[in-house]
Amino acid sequence: MPELIGIARLAAESPSLLGKKRVEYMSLTTRSYLTRCNNPRMPFRWMINPYRGCEFGCKYCYARYTHEFMELRDADAFEKKIFVKSFGPRRFLGELRKLPVGESIAIGTATDPYQPAEALYGVTRAMWEQFARTAGFRIGLVTKSNLVTRDAGVIASASRRHAVTIVVTITTLARDLAGALEPLAPRPELRLRAIRTLARAGIRVSVNLAPVLPLINDSEASLDAVAKAAAEAGAVSLGANVVYLKDCAKSIFFPFLEAQFPALAGRYQERFRNNAFLRGAYPEMIRERVGRIRRKYGLDSSREAAEPELWPRDPQLTLFS
Ligand code: SF4
């Protein structure tokens, strides 16, 4: 077996924290909490993932490839071996202080920061506590979990010093469909309740209708129902993306389709055989449909909130605690 290096070696040396029936939690040493995003199409410059892997195990999840970097290549390792990044508040604060004002940071680009591990280890909450000691960033956090409401107080504090948006993903209001697609994620009505709680706490909330899955959750009625319920709960913006399927996602999603949606399996396989993305008329139709629904409910498309009053103007004054 070749010698492991980098993150694969760190993962192999990670001590186990807890073994549950289905999932094992491991402690992972990390060199830096902030990772620079070099993809110019992404609307943020920095990424933070407090965990590696995600217990929610969504069938379409594109982030499974991140376990391959650790030489964990079983298709379901991503949802069964969860790495908890060992957190040092001073070190995290030190990294934040090196960033200039106005930088954009996305939390949860390859994991759900409020998955069940967060209830035990609290890494995401510990990060918010440090954000509340700094100022001037654009911060977006994406989650499917109502556990985020536990931190409404500290997120509201951070929102007074940064432009914060909490993005709650809801792919469908149909409970059975959500349960099939996102087996261990909280039910859609709990996510809606989370939107309401956060909005009432004065936090800007966006609803994320992603992924849009052809012939599964893409009807006007289905998308409209999510947008309507989210707007009524207090979301101010709506994002949506058509599904994309990397090979790591196909290895879970295609067998799932064959079992649950056999009539669609062949069409998906044909369309995604050589591409991770769908191109052409379909994404254009969804863009138009979502735009119409956004206008209907007065939802914004932007991911950024207005600049907070406390935003430091002096370029010499980077961050303060
Ligand atoms: S919640 Fe997000 S990161 Fe977790 S399994 Fe689902 S899609 Fe993947």
Side-chain angles (χ1 to χ4, degrees):
M1 183 163 162
E3 194 189 342
L4 296 175
I5 54 168
I7 185 69
R9 187 172 58 77
L10 287 177
E13 292 170 353
S14 293
S16 179
L17 293 168
L18 177 67
K20 294 202 298 187
K21 196 169 167 195
R22 200 182 153 272
V23 179
E24 184 175 14
Y25 298 133
M26 328 275 285
S27 170
L28 184 68
T29 314
T30 189
R31 293 199 185 102
S32 63
Y33 300 106
L34 288 152
T35 307
R36 194 179 176 99
C37 174
N38 293 318
N39 183 343
R41 291 190 312 167
M42 300 312 275
F44 47 79
R45 182 113 46 131
W46 298 95
M47 302 178 286
I48 297 177
N49 286 293
Y51 303 92
R52 271 184 172 257
C54 182
E55 198 170 338
F56 287 155
C58 304
K59 300 297 180 190
Y60 48 73
C61 180
Y62 64 86
R64 295 175 188 275
Y65 72 94
T66 55
H67 262 42
E68 293 173 5
F69 298 150
M70 299 188 292
E71 297 297 332
L72 294 169
R73 294 182 181 277
D74 287 352
D76 60 357
F78 179 80
E79 59 199 73
K80 292 194 170 158
K81 272 193 184 295
I82 309 298
F83 291 84
V84 180
K85 293 194 180 167
S86 51
F87 186 69
R90 288 171 71 94
R91 204 149 64 79
F92 182 62
L93 190 60
E95 284 184 40
L96 293 182
R97 282 188 165 145
K98 286 187 188 141
L99 297 187
V101 164
E103 286 285 32
S104 46
I105 302 170
I107 307 173
T109 54
T111 186
D112 195 308
Y114 284 100
Q115 62 178 294
E118 173 61 17
L120 294 173
Y121 302 107
V123 182
T124 305
R125 182 181 174 88
M127 289 180 166
W128 280 120
E129 285 164 355
Q130 298 310 312
F131 275 121
R133 298 180 61 201
T134 60
F137 301 136
R138 299 181 185 281
I139 306 169
L141 179 145
V142 189
T143 185
K144 289 189 175 93
S145 175
N146 55 329
L147 180 59
V148 63
T149 59
R150 178 201 65 184
D151 293 347
V154 68
I155 299 172
S157 295
S159 295
R160 290 192 280 276
R161 310 183 70 152
H162 303 276
V164 173
T165 302
I166 301 298
V167 183
V168 177
T169 300
I170 304 178
T171 47
T172 172
L173 295 189
R175 199 196 264 206
D176 289 352
L177 178 58
L181 290 167
E182 302 150 355
L184 292 179
R187 298 188 307 275
E189 62 268 29
L190 295 176
R191 299 183 217 173
L192 282 171
R193 220 179 285 165
I195 291 177
R196 194 176 298 281
T197 303
L198 295 171
R200 282 190 180 151
I203 298 162
R204 183 178 193 272
V205 190
S206 178
V207 64
N208 184 32
L209 238 167
V212 174
L213 296 154
L215 301 176
I216 294 178
N217 67 342
D218 65 344
S219 70
E220 182 121 10
S222 174
L223 302 179
D224 187 289
V226 173
K228 180 173 190 286
E232 285 171 1
V236 294
S237 76
L238 166 71
N241 278 315
V242 173
V243 67
Y244 66 99
L245 294 170
K246 292 170 178 250
D247 287 343
C248 61
K250 287 176 191 168
S251 67
I252 297 280
F253 192 64
F254 284 173
F256 162 80
L257 281 180
E258 270 157 26
Q260 301 280 334
F261 296 91
L264 299 181
R267 289 172 79 173
Y268 268 78
Q269 278 163 15
E270 188 193 315
R271 292 294 174 86
F272 286 98
R273 182 169 298 130
N274 299 318
N275 281 310
F277 294 89
L278 287 179
R279 299 184 200 285
Y282 182 79
E284 196 44 53
M285 179 194 77
I286 293 298
R287 217 180 342 269
E288 201 183 292
R289 186 173 288 175
V290 169
R292 199 165 48 241
I293 291 170
R294 246 189 219 124
R295 286 190 294 279
K296 182 172 171 188
Y297 296 108
L299 292 163
D300 183 7
S301 64
S302 81
R303 293 171 192 234
E304 292 177 350
E307 295 180 0
E309 280 173 30
L310 285 171
W311 202 291
R313 294 285 162 197
D314 184 345
Q316 300 296 316
L317 212 178
T318 50
L319 294 173
F320 54 88
S321 60

